[in-house]
Each structure stands twice: as C-alpha cells, then as structure tokens.
C-alpha cells in the first residue's frame, strides 16, 4: 500500500501549495467550513470513517480542504490514485498468474516424478522377487548338475570295473579254450601218426606222453575218459577216439568263435555306453556353465534392481517433499495476493466513495451560488 501513502503525502503537499496560492477571504473559508460540516454529517462519511484507511484519507482531505484546496484538485488527485491502484492491481495479477503457473508447474513435475518413482519402485520390487525365484532355481539346478555328474562318474566307474572284470574272464576263458583246441590237435595228430598210420599200438612211453598232454587240460576231462576206454589203443578204438576228439575240437572252436563274437559286441556296447555317458556329461557340463553364467547375471541384476528400489524410494520422498514445499509456497503466495487484492479493492472502493461524496458536496455547494 505504498502507493496510497505516497498519494496521501501528495495530498498534504498539495494542501500546502493550494493554501499558499488560494485567496483566504472569509467567504471562501466559510463556504469550505460549511461544506465540511455537512460532509461529516452524511452517513457515507461516517461509514468511511469506520475503516482505518477511509478515516485517514478523509482526515487528509479535510485538512487539504481546510487549508484552501479545491474540490477539483482533490478529485483529480484521488482519481489518479485510483488509477494507479488499478494499474498496480493489473501488474500484480500478471505477476501472480506467472508465479502461480511456475509453482503449479513445479508441483505437477514433482507429482509426476513421485508417481514415476512409485511405478519404478513397484517394478523393481517385482523384478527382485522374480530374480530371487530364478536364483534359487538356478542354484537348485546347479546342485542337480553335481548330482548328475556324480551319478555319471559312478556309472562310468561301475561300467569300467565290469568291463575290466569281463576282459579278465574273457582272456582267461579264451586262453583255456585255445589251449584245449591246441591239445586236441596234438592228440589227434599223435593218435593218427602213431597208431593209425603206423598200424600198431602206442608204447608205454608214448602212452605216458599222451596222458601228459591230457593232463594239460585236466586229468578228469572227457578226453581222458575217452582215452581210458581202452588200454590197448588198437586202431578201431583210436579211430573212435579221434572222431570224438575232432567233434569236440570243432564244438570248442564254435564256442570260442561265439564267445569272441559276444565279447566284441560287449566291448562295442561298453564303448557306446561310455560315449553316451561322455556326451551326457558334456551336455550337463555345458548346461552347468550356462547356469553359472545365468546365476551370476541374475545375482548382478538383483543387486541392480535392489539399488533401483532404494533410489526410487528416495526419489519419491524427495519429490513429495519438493511438491509439498511448492504447495505451501503457492498457498502463501495466494494468501498474500488475495490480501493485497482485497486491500486494493477496499481502497479503490473507499476512494470511489470519497470522490462521489466530494462531487455531490461540490454540486450542493455550487447550487446556492447559482441561485
């Protein structure tokens, strides 16, 4: 309200100037005095006097008129004061509108930031929960990989042990069968050459040699029984023995061939199973490496998402604090603006009423003079 103070001071300054240049005749002074008495007796004057500004303004105008100021001069100054107040109000309206728009923009921005932070916090929370599940699944998968690899290792060891045992048994069995075949060949040859071809019988020494050969494959074998069928070793008996020995040799050869064929299949099966286990192991180890990479990535992502949660939680608080501060600022600015506007409106209304009173009083003062 500095403008009003300046203009009131201007009114007082004008009163001094007017007093210096206005005639001080008793008629003029009496006329002004009568006017002030009449003005002060009106209801409007009394209403204005009830406000501090109106009382002060009327007091100043009364002083101005009592010191020789004219109605036109006072009215002109009051109208100028009114115009200045209206201009000041327009400027204040513009400034407040600009300031309000700026503050409301800050409020909107911080509200949007807070809303986005809430959304980001929620998204990060979901991601952390999902990553915890994924991490637990991957750790379980890695534990399962270890169990699978141990199972494969156990199977490999078991297969290798079984294969080694089978190899030993086959080598022993194969050696024994070949030895039997070899002994049978020797027996057949000796019986043929020394009995059939010689058309005689074996001497005691040759019989001992023959039984020594039989002992190589076991004294209680069917061969020894065949030989024991006769002690004379005549040609007919020898032919019978040779025939049985040849059939026995062929049967053992067939058994040996079948056993070797089965052994080859068993070796091939063993190798295939080992290769299959190796492929399975390679697949599991590859999957294990991928799981380790995924686990590390998930753990890093969990750390990142946890940090995102904390960052957005803080951002939400900061945004809400800034918004609340802006809202408080806007409230204070609005209250001050409305207070200034109300003060100016009251002042303009008072000045308008004073001008109306002055004009009315001036007309009443001029009416008797016209008569």
């Amino acid at each position: 309200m500095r403008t009003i103070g300046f203009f009131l001071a201007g009114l007082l300054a004008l009163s001094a100037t007017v007093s210096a240049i206005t005639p001080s005749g008793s008629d003029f002074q009496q006329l002004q005095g009568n006017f002030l008495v009449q003005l002060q007796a009106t209801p409007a004057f009394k209403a204005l006097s009830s406000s501090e500004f109106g009382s002060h303004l009327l007091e100043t105008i009364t002083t101005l008129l009592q010191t020789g100021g004219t109605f036109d001069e006072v009215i002109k100054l009051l109208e100028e004061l009114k115009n200045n107040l209206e201009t000041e109000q327009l400027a204040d309206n513009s400034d407040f509108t600009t300031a309000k728009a700026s503050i409301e923009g800050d409020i909107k921005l911080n509200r949007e930031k807070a809303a986005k932070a809430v959304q980001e916090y929620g998204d990060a929370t979901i991601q952390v929960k999902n990553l915890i599940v994924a991490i637990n699944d991957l750790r379980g998968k890695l534990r399962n990989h270890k169990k699978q690899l141990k199972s494969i290792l156990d199977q490999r060891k078991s297969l290798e042990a079984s294969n080694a045992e089978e190899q030993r048994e086959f080598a022993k069995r194969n050696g024994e069968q070949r030895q039997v075949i070899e002994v049978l060949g020797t027996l057949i040859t000796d019986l043929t050459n020394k009995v059939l071809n010689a058309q005689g019988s074996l001497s005691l020494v040759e019989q001992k040699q023959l039984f020594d050969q039989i002992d190589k494959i076991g004294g209680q074998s069917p061969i020894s029984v065949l030989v024991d069928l006769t002690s004379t070793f005549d040609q007919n008996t020898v032919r019978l023995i040779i025939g049985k020995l040849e059939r026995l040799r062929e049967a053992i050869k067939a058994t040996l061939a079948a056993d070797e064929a089965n052994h080859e299949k068993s070796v091939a099966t063993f190798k295939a199973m080992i290769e299959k286990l190796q492929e399975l192991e390679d697949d599991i180890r590859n999957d294990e490496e991928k799981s380790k990479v995924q686990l590390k990535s998930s753990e890093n992502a969990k750390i990142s998402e946890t940090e995102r949660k904390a960052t957005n939680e803080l951002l939400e608080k900061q945004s809400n604090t800034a918004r609340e501060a802006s809202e408080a600022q806007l409230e204070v600015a609005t209250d001050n603006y409305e207070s200034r506007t109300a003060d100016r409106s009251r002042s303009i209304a008072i000045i308008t009423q004073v001008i109306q009173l002055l004009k009315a009083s001036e007309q009443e003062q001029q009416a008797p003079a016209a008569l």
Side-chain angles (χ1 to χ4, degrees):
M1 299 304 291
R2 289 164 43 183
T3 302
I4 296 174
F6 290 154
F7 270 82
L8 291 177
L11 288 173
L12 291 174
L14 177 62
S15 69
T17 303
V18 172
S19 176
I21 63 175
T22 302
S24 58
S26 58
D27 291 340
F28 179 78
Q29 292 177 351
Q30 183 178 1
L31 185 62
Q32 298 286 52
N34 291 336
F35 160 72
L36 292 173
V37 171
Q38 294 173 358
L39 178 62
Q40 292 171 0
T42 61
F45 183 88
K46 293 179 180 180
L48 291 173
S49 299
S50 62
S51 70
E52 182 181 357
F53 173 73
S55 176
H56 188 52
L57 180 62
L58 291 174
E59 182 182 347
T60 302
I61 292 172
T62 300
T63 301
L64 180 60
L65 292 175
Q66 286 176 344
T67 55
T70 65
F71 289 111
D72 289 340
E73 291 168 336
V74 174
I75 290 172
K76 182 179 179 181
L77 286 175
L78 290 174
E79 288 178 341
E80 185 177 350
L81 173 59
K82 177 183 175 183
N83 290 335
N84 284 339
L85 286 173
E86 290 173 344
T87 301
E88 186 179 277
Q89 183 61 46
L90 291 175
D92 199 7
N93 291 343
S94 177
D95 291 342
F96 175 72
T97 299
T98 301
K100 180 181 179 183
S102 176
I103 296 173
E104 287 178 340
D106 292 339
I107 292 172
K108 180 182 178 183
L109 178 62
N110 284 303
R111 183 176 287 112
E112 291 173 348
K113 285 183 178 179
K116 183 178 180 182
V118 170
Q119 180 65 42
E120 289 289 325
Y121 179 87
D123 291 344
T125 300
I126 293 173
Q127 289 298 321
V128 168
K129 290 181 179 178
N130 292 339
L131 286 167
I132 289 174
V133 172
I135 288 170
N136 291 335
D137 289 345
L138 287 168
R139 287 174 177 170
K141 193 174 182 180
L142 287 172
R143 288 193 295 269
N144 190 48
H145 287 330
K146 290 182 179 179
K147 291 180 181 178
Q148 289 176 324
L149 290 173
K150 184 179 182 305
S151 176
I152 290 174
L153 179 61
D154 292 342
Q155 290 181 59
R156 183 193 294 272
K157 288 181 177 179
S158 177
L159 285 173
E160 289 174 345
S162 297
N163 181 68
E165 179 65 21
E166 185 177 346
Q167 290 287 357
R168 286 191 296 270
E169 291 179 355
F170 171 76
K172 179 182 177 182
R173 191 170 60 250
N174 187 269
E176 291 174 348
Q177 289 175 334
R178 289 184 179 279
Q179 185 179 18
V180 170
I181 292 171
E182 181 181 354
V183 169
L184 289 174
T186 301
L187 290 174
I188 292 170
T189 300
D190 288 346
L191 289 173
T192 300
N193 292 335
K194 294 178 180 180
V195 177
L196 297 182
N197 293 340
Q199 295 184 353
S201 60
L202 295 176
S203 65
L204 293 176
V205 173
E206 290 172 336
Q207 291 182 33
K208 184 178 183 304
Q209 292 175 347
L210 181 61
F211 280 105
D212 288 341
Q213 290 291 332
I214 294 172
D215 287 339
K216 292 181 180 180
I217 58 174
Q220 301 302 321
S221 68
I223 300 173
S224 62
V225 175
L226 290 174
V227 175
D228 284 339
L229 290 175
T230 178
S231 58
T232 60
F233 288 88
D234 56 67
Q235 291 186 355
N236 291 331
T237 302
V238 168
R239 288 191 184 94
L240 178 63
I241 292 172
I242 289 173
K244 292 183 178 294
L245 290 177
E246 287 177 342
R247 288 192 293 274
L248 178 61
R249 183 177 63 177
E250 293 304 317
I252 294 174
K253 284 183 178 180
T255 300
L256 177 63
D259 193 25
E260 288 178 344
N262 289 334
H263 178 67
E264 289 179 0
K265 291 181 180 179
S266 178
V267 170
T269 300
F270 167 75
K271 290 181 179 180
M273 292 179 70
I274 292 295
E275 289 177 359
K276 188 67 177 178
L277 287 176
Q278 185 61 52
E279 291 176 359
L280 183 58
E281 180 182 352
D282 292 342
D283 290 342
I284 293 174
R285 291 194 181 280
N286 290 335
D287 196 16
E288 183 182 37
E289 289 302 315
K290 291 178 181 178
S291 296
K292 288 180 179 179
V293 172
Q294 291 174 353
L295 177 60
K296 185 64 176 178
S297 176
S298 296
E299 288 174 339
N300 290 337
K302 178 175 174 287
I303 294 172
S304 177
E305 291 299 322
T306 301
E307 292 175 351
R308 183 159 75 108
K309 279 182 61 179
T311 298
N312 282 281
E313 184 177 18
L314 177 60
L315 179 59
E316 179 193 2
K317 292 180 180 179
Q318 292 174 338
S319 299
N320 285 331
T321 299
R323 174 183 55 78
E324 290 169 359
S326 295
E327 288 173 344
Q329 180 187 5
L330 179 59
E331 184 177 357
V332 171
T334 301
D335 289 344
N336 291 338
Y337 166 74
E338 290 176 349
S339 177
R340 291 193 304 271
T341 299
D343 288 343
R344 289 193 190 96
S345 297
R346 285 192 296 271
S347 297
I348 290 171
I350 290 172
I351 292 171
T352 300
Q353 291 179 5
V354 171
I355 291 173
Q356 291 173 351
L357 285 173
L358 288 172
K359 287 181 178 181
S361 297
E362 183 181 27
Q363 291 174 358
E364 291 177 0
Q365 181 186 17
Q366 292 173 352
L371 295 175

